[in-house]
Amino acid sequence: MNVLVLGAGQLARMMSLAGAPLNISISAYDVNTDSLVHPLTQQNLGTGLANAIAAADIITAEFEHIPLAILEQCQKSGKFFPGETAIKAGGDRRLEKQLLDSANVGSAAYHIVNSEADFNQAISKLGLPLVFKSALAGYDGKGQWRLKQAEDTAALWQKISAFLAADPQQSIVAEQFIPFQREVSLIGVRRANGDIKVYPLTENHHVNGVLSVSLAVAGNEQLQQQACQMFTALANKLDYVGVLSIEFFDLNGKLLVNEIAPRVHNSGHWTQQGADICQFEQHLRAVCNLPLGSTALIRPSLMVNILGEDAVPESILTIPGLHLHWYGKSKRPGRKMGHINLSAPNNAELKARFTQLINLLPEAIFPELQQMVNRIS
Amino acid sequence: MNVLVLGAGQLARMMSLAGAPLNISISAYDVNTDSLVHPLTQQNLGTGLANAIAAADIITAEFEHIPLAILEQCQKSGKFFPGETAIKAGGDRRLEKQLLDSANVGSAAYHIVNSEADFNQAISKLGLPLVFKSALAGYDGKGQWRLKQAEDTAALWQKISAFLAADPQQSIVAEQFIPFQREVSLIGVRRANGDIKVYPLTENHHVNGVLSVSLAVAGNEQLQQQACQMFTALANKLDYVGVLSIEFFDLNGKLLVNEIAPRVHNSGHWTQQGADICQFEQHLRAVCNLPLGSTALIRPSLMVNILGEDAVPESILTIPGLHLHWYGKSKRPGRKMGHINLSAPNNAELKARFTQLINLLPEAIFPELQQMVNRIS
C-alpha cells in the first residue's frame, strides 16, 4: 500500500516508521518545493503533484495549512482522507467555528473581524478580555493578540488592521477569553464504516505558546466521556476518516474546544510507548481502511518536546521507560527537533522517573518541567 | 551516526526502524551481490565493501554465515562489533563448542567428525542417541541428522561422508542427544564498558525445525539467574559488544547451551512490544557505545512467525495488544515473511487474546499454536 502524505516533516516521518511494519510505504509531498521525498531517508522520489497522486493508493496530510488548489486536486482523486473539508476546517478558524457550531460542540463565544466596525462589535458583544486569532496559518501561539483592558483598544486595532491589510485572504476570529484551569487534548480516530476509538485525554503544558509537555495518565471518567462525545459529534459531522485531534480548555470540569487539528498531533506522541497502537499507525489503519486498534493506555506516560536542540545528555537513556525520538532535522532556534517519551508501570514511578529526567536536562532548554511533576497524582 | 549492517534481511530492516528515532541511519550490505542498500526502502546506496566501510561510523552484522574475507576486512577497520571472533563462533559449531568449553558454560557432550574413524569414535564415546550437525551454514534445522539406533549407523555414515566430501571446509559436530523438556532462549546485550543487561528468558516452540512461537512471561527466577550467569561468562569471554542470543535446552531445570547467535534473534522480536527497549535498539545502543536501556518485561508477550505467507486475516488487527510486522519481502514457501507480536496486561489476558488469535488464523499455515496456549500459566 502506497500512501502519499501532504507535508514532509516529522509527522510524515513517524507515519513512515509506523507504516513500514504493515507494509505501508509513505512518500511525502513537500508543498513548498513541489517535490516528493521519502520521509525517512529524504531520498528524492520525483516531482509534480499529479504524478504523486497517480502513484498513490491513498492520500493524507500531516498539516492543515495547505494551498487550496492542492487540496482540490487531491480531493478530485477520490483517494484523499480525511479530505478537503476537514483539512480546510483545521486550517481556517472561521470554518472551524462554523463546524463546531453546526455539530453543537461548545467553544469560546466569537465574532469574525474583517473591519474596524467588526472589531468594535466584537468588544461590545463579547466583553473583555478578548483573544484575537488570525483565521489562517496561525499555530504555536503565532498570529494571536490579547486585549485585556479598554485603553489598549486603539493600539491593538492598529496592529490588527495592518495585519489584515497585508493579506486580503486573512481574517480575525475574536474569542472570549476562557479562564481555563488547564489545557487537555483528545486524539481519536474514525474509520469510514463509522468505527471510532479515542485515546485517554492528555494534559498539555505550553511554554511561550509551544507545547512543552503532554501527560497521559488514567484520568477523570466524566471528562473523558465529555471529550469523547464532542469528538464523536465532530468526526461524524465531517464523516471523518483518520486521526482527528481536539484541544480543549478545561473550565472547572466543563470542556470547551480550543481548536481542532485534522491529523496526528504533537500531544499524541506519547502513544508511541504509552498506548497499544500509536496514533501514527491508527491514522494509517483508518485511511487505508484497516480495522482500528486498541487505544487503551497501557502505562502512564508523558512526552517532553525537544525544541531548538540537537543533543540531550546521553545519560537520560539509562532511565527505564524512556524513549528518545529525533526527527533527523537540522538545528534551528525553537524548531521541533525531537521528543522524549517516558512511561512507567504506575503514577508514582512515572513521577520518580520524570524527576530523574528533569535533573539530567538543562533547565534553560527545558524550562517549567518541574511544575508538571505535580500534575501526576 | 551511520551504521553498516552485513546482511540485508529483516533484522537489518528492524534495526533501521529502531535506529531512526535515535538519528542512527542503517545501510545494509548484501554479501551475495556486493551491493549496499537501504534496508527499508531497498534504495541502492552504492557497491563495494571498501566504500561501505569507509562511509560507516560503525559496522555490525545481522547474520553469522559471512565469508571470512569480508569479516577480516571489516575487522581491520576497527569499527566492527561484535567483531570477527564472535561472528565466527556463531557461524562455526567447532569454534562455538571451543568457546563454550573455554567459558566453562555447559552444553551437550560432543565430538568433531571429519572421518569415519571420528564418526565411530563419536558413537562409542557419546553413546546413542546422537545428533550430527554440520559445523558451517546450518540453521533452522538444516544440515542435521539424528542417529537413534545402531542399525542405522552405516546408512547415516553414507549420508554424512557424502556431505563432508562435497565441501572440504565442512565438518560435523556430533552431540549427545539432550532429552530436554523445552527450549528457551536468552537475549542479552553487553556494552564495551562491560555493562550487561538481559531480557527475561523466552520459551520457544519450533515446527519442522523453524521457530514458530516465542513466549515471554515472568518466569522461574532460578532459571533466569542460571541463564544470566552463562550469558555473562560468554559475553565477557568474547569481550562482546552488542546483542548476543543464546538458545538453551531446559533439562529438568538445568540449562545447557544449544547454540549461540552473535546478533539480534527471532526469539527476541517480542521485545518490540513487550519490553521497554527492544533488542534492535539495544544492539544499536551497544555498538554505538550509548547507554543500554531497560530490558524489563513490561507485559507478558508472545510472538508468532508468519512463514511463506504474505497475508493474514485483517480481523486479527482488532485484537488488543496485537502488532503485525511485515518484512516487505516477496512470497516464497517457508520464508520468514513477518511476525505477529501479542501482549496483554497479565497472563490470563494473554491466554485469552492468544486463543482469539488462533481462532482467526488458518491452522494449516499456523500449526501447533494451540499447544503453546497451555504453556501460559
Side-chain angles (χ1 to χ4, degrees):
Chain A
M1 186 81 85
N2 293 309
V3 174
L4 170 66
V5 178
L6 303 179
Q10 67 267 22
L11 302 181
R13 177 183 163 101
M14 289 186 276
M15 277 187 224
S16 176
L17 290 171
L22 295 174
N23 273 355
I24 295 173
S25 300
I26 308 287
S27 38
Y29 179 74
D30 186 326
V31 300
N32 299 312
T33 61
D34 189 41
S35 63
L36 199 65
V37 296
H38 192 284
L40 200 58
T41 64
Q42 298 302 318
Q43 178 194 3
N44 191 289
L45 302 171
T47 52
L49 183 58
N51 295 332
I53 290 174
D57 299 307
I58 296 290
I59 306 168
T60 189
E62 64 146 24
F63 75 129
E64 53 275 8
H65 302 299
I66 297 171
L68 298 186
I70 291 177
L71 289 182
E72 278 165 26
Q73 202 177 339
C74 290
Q75 189 68 27
K76 272 188 199 139
S77 73
K79 307 171 182 177
F80 188 31
F81 303 99
E84 193 182 7
T85 308
I87 303 282
K88 279 183 181 168
D92 185 330
R93 286 187 200 279
R94 291 165 295 188
L95 299 176
E96 189 180 39
K97 283 292 194 184
Q98 280 174 23
L99 168 69
L100 294 168
D101 288 349
S102 71
N104 207 17
V105 165
S107 71
Y110 69 101
H111 192 74
I112 309 284
V113 174
N114 291 310
S115 66
E116 190 166 7
D118 293 337
F119 180 76
N120 291 325
Q121 205 178 346
I123 296 169
S124 61
K125 179 173 126 190
L126 304 171
L128 297 191
L130 274 181
V131 186
F132 295 85
K133 299 177 176 176
S134 68
L136 305 172
Y139 63 96
D140 287 348
K142 289 167 194 160
Q144 296 200 7
W145 301 265
R146 285 199 186 180
L147 182 61
K148 292 179 183 171
Q149 41 199 14
E151 57 258 47
D152 299 332
T153 305
L156 183 61
W157 172 245
Q158 290 306 315
K159 282 188 194 166
I160 286 179
S161 59
F163 179 82
L164 287 172
D167 179 357
Q169 304 299 317
Q170 269 291 12
S171 177
I172 295 284
V173 176
E175 278 187 3
Q176 211 163 40
F177 174 77
I178 305 294
F180 60 92
Q181 281 74 51
R182 55 183 198 138
E183 199 207 273
V184 295
S185 60
L186 190 80
I187 316 288
V189 60
R190 184 179 183 275
R191 194 181 169 191
N193 68 0
D195 282 356
I196 283 179
K197 288 192 181 260
V198 302
Y199 291 99
L201 272 173
T202 306
E203 179 170 341
N204 303 317
H205 182 66
H206 292 74
V207 176
N208 300 325
V210 181
L211 183 64
S212 167
V213 181
S214 287
L215 173 67
V217 294
N220 180 320
E221 191 49 43
Q222 184 275 330
L223 220 57
Q224 179 74 24
Q225 277 187 21
Q226 213 183 123
C228 183
Q229 276 164 17
M230 293 161 93
F231 179 94
T232 303
L234 284 171
N236 285 343
K237 186 83 195 175
L238 288 164
D239 199 13
Y240 197 90
V241 175
V243 162
L244 170 69
S245 307
I246 310 181
E247 290 183 28
F248 299 96
F249 299 127
D250 178 0
L251 182 65
N252 301 315
K254 180 178 163 57
L255 297 181
L256 291 171
V257 172
N258 175 21
E259 60 182 24
I260 68 168
R263 54 168 168 85
V264 291
H265 194 261
N266 195 167
S267 70
H269 291 357
W270 65 267
T271 60
Q272 291 173 312
Q273 269 75 44
D276 246 345
I277 300 292
C278 74
Q279 63 168 350
F280 303 100
E281 181 172 340
Q282 295 282 16
H283 182 69
L284 292 174
R285 287 195 189 192
V287 299
C288 295
N289 202 24
L290 291 168
L292 305 180
S294 163
T295 47
L297 184 78
I298 57 172
R299 32 184 200 161
S301 298
L302 60 83
M303 181 225 59
V304 178
N305 265 338
I306 306 173
L307 303 171
E309 289 294 325
D310 60 2
V312 290
E314 212 177 85
S315 54
I316 70 168
L317 292 174
T318 63
I319 300 172
L322 184 139
H323 280 255
L324 186 53
H325 295 260
W326 291 111
Y327 306 152
K329 289 181 179 178
S330 54
K331 192 171 163 175
R332 211 162 57 201
R335 194 176 201 194
K336 287 182 178 172
M337 299 291 293
H339 67 272
I340 298 163
N341 279 344
L342 188 63
S343 301
N346 54 57
N347 286 9
E349 186 60 29
L350 183 63
K351 212 165 174 166
R353 292 178 183 181
F354 192 26
T355 301
Q356 202 183 340
L357 173 62
I358 292 170
N359 290 336
L360 293 172
L361 292 175
E363 198 183 347
I365 296 160
F366 296 91
E368 301 184 24
L369 295 185
Q370 189 57 49
Q371 61 186 266
M372 281 304 279
V373 176
N374 304 323
R375 305 294 310 165
I376 309 170
S377 54
Chain B
M1 187 80 86
N2 293 308
V3 174
L4 170 66
V5 178
L6 303 179
Q10 68 266 23
L11 302 181
R13 178 183 161 100
M14 289 186 276
M15 278 187 223
S16 176
L17 291 170
L22 295 175
N23 275 355
I24 295 173
S25 299
I26 308 288
S27 39
Y29 178 73
D30 186 326
V31 302
N32 300 312
T33 61
D34 189 41
S35 63
L36 199 65
V37 297
H38 192 285
L40 199 59
T41 63
Q42 298 301 319
Q43 180 194 2
N44 191 290
L45 302 171
T47 53
L49 183 58
N51 295 332
I53 290 174
D57 299 307
I58 297 290
I59 306 168
T60 189
E62 64 145 24
F63 75 128
E64 52 276 8
H65 302 298
I66 298 172
L68 298 185
I70 291 177
L71 288 182
E72 277 165 28
Q73 202 177 340
C74 291
Q75 188 68 25
K76 273 189 199 139
S77 72
K79 307 171 181 176
F80 188 31
F81 304 99
E84 194 182 7
T85 308
I87 303 282
K88 278 183 182 169
D92 185 331
R93 286 187 202 279
R94 291 166 295 188
L95 300 176
E96 188 180 40
K97 282 293 193 184
Q98 278 173 22
L99 168 69
L100 294 168
D101 289 348
S102 71
N104 207 18
V105 164
S107 72
Y110 70 101
H111 191 74
I112 308 285
V113 175
N114 291 310
S115 66
E116 189 165 8
D118 294 337
F119 180 75
N120 290 325
Q121 205 179 345
I123 297 170
S124 60
K125 180 175 127 189
L126 305 171
L128 297 189
L130 274 181
V131 186
F132 295 85
K133 299 177 176 176
S134 67
L136 305 172
Y139 63 95
D140 286 350
K142 289 167 194 158
Q144 297 199 6
W145 302 265
R146 285 200 189 181
L147 182 60
K148 291 180 185 171
Q149 40 199 12
E151 56 259 46
D152 299 333
T153 305
L156 184 59
W157 173 245
Q158 289 307 315
K159 282 188 195 165
I160 286 179
S161 58
F163 179 81
L164 287 172
D167 179 357
Q169 304 299 316
Q170 269 290 12
S171 179
I172 295 285
V173 177
E175 279 187 3
Q176 211 163 40
F177 174 77
I178 305 294
F180 61 91
Q181 279 75 51
R182 55 183 198 138
E183 199 208 272
V184 295
S185 60
L186 190 79
I187 316 289
V189 60
R190 185 179 182 274
R191 195 183 169 190
N193 69 1
D195 282 356
I196 283 179
K197 287 191 181 262
V198 301
Y199 292 99
L201 272 172
T202 305
E203 179 170 341
N204 302 317
H205 181 67
H206 293 75
V207 176
N208 301 324
V210 180
L211 184 65
S212 167
V213 180
S214 288
L215 173 66
V217 295
N220 180 319
E221 191 48 44
Q222 184 276 331
L223 221 56
Q224 179 74 23
Q225 277 186 22
Q226 212 184 125
C228 183
Q229 277 163 15
M230 292 162 93
F231 179 93
T232 302
L234 285 170
N236 285 343
K237 186 85 195 171
L238 288 165
D239 199 14
Y240 197 89
V241 174
V243 162
L244 170 68
S245 307
I246 310 181
E247 290 183 28
F248 299 97
F249 298 126
D250 178 1
L251 183 63
N252 302 315
K254 180 179 163 56
L255 296 181
L256 291 170
V257 172
N258 176 21
E259 61 183 25
I260 68 168
R263 55 168 169 83
V264 291
H265 194 260
N266 196 167
S267 70
H269 291 357
W270 64 267
T271 61
Q272 292 172 313
Q273 269 75 44
D276 245 346
I277 300 292
C278 74
Q279 63 168 352
F280 304 101
E281 181 172 340
Q282 296 282 16
H283 183 69
L284 292 174
R285 287 194 188 194
V287 299
C288 295
N289 202 24
L290 292 168
L292 305 180
S294 163
T295 47
L297 184 79
I298 56 173
R299 32 185 199 159
S301 298
L302 59 82
M303 182 225 58
V304 178
N305 265 339
I306 306 174
L307 303 171
E309 288 294 326
D310 61 1
V312 289
E314 211 176 86
S315 55
I316 70 168
L317 292 174
T318 62
I319 300 173
L322 184 140
H323 280 254
L324 187 53
H325 295 259
W326 292 111
Y327 305 152
K329 288 180 179 177
S330 54
K331 193 171 163 174
R332 211 161 59 201
R335 193 176 201 193
K336 288 181 178 173
M337 299 291 292
H339 67 271
I340 298 163
N341 279 344
L342 188 63
S343 302
N346 53 57
N347 285 10
E349 185 60 28
L350 183 64
K351 211 164 174 166
R353 291 178 183 182
F354 192 26
T355 302
Q356 202 183 339
L357 173 62
I358 291 170
N359 290 336
L360 293 172
L361 292 176
E363 199 183 348
I365 296 160
F366 296 91
E368 301 184 22
L369 294 186
Q370 189 58 47
Q371 60 188 266
M372 280 304 280
V373 175
N374 304 325
R375 305 294 310 164
I376 309 170
S377 54

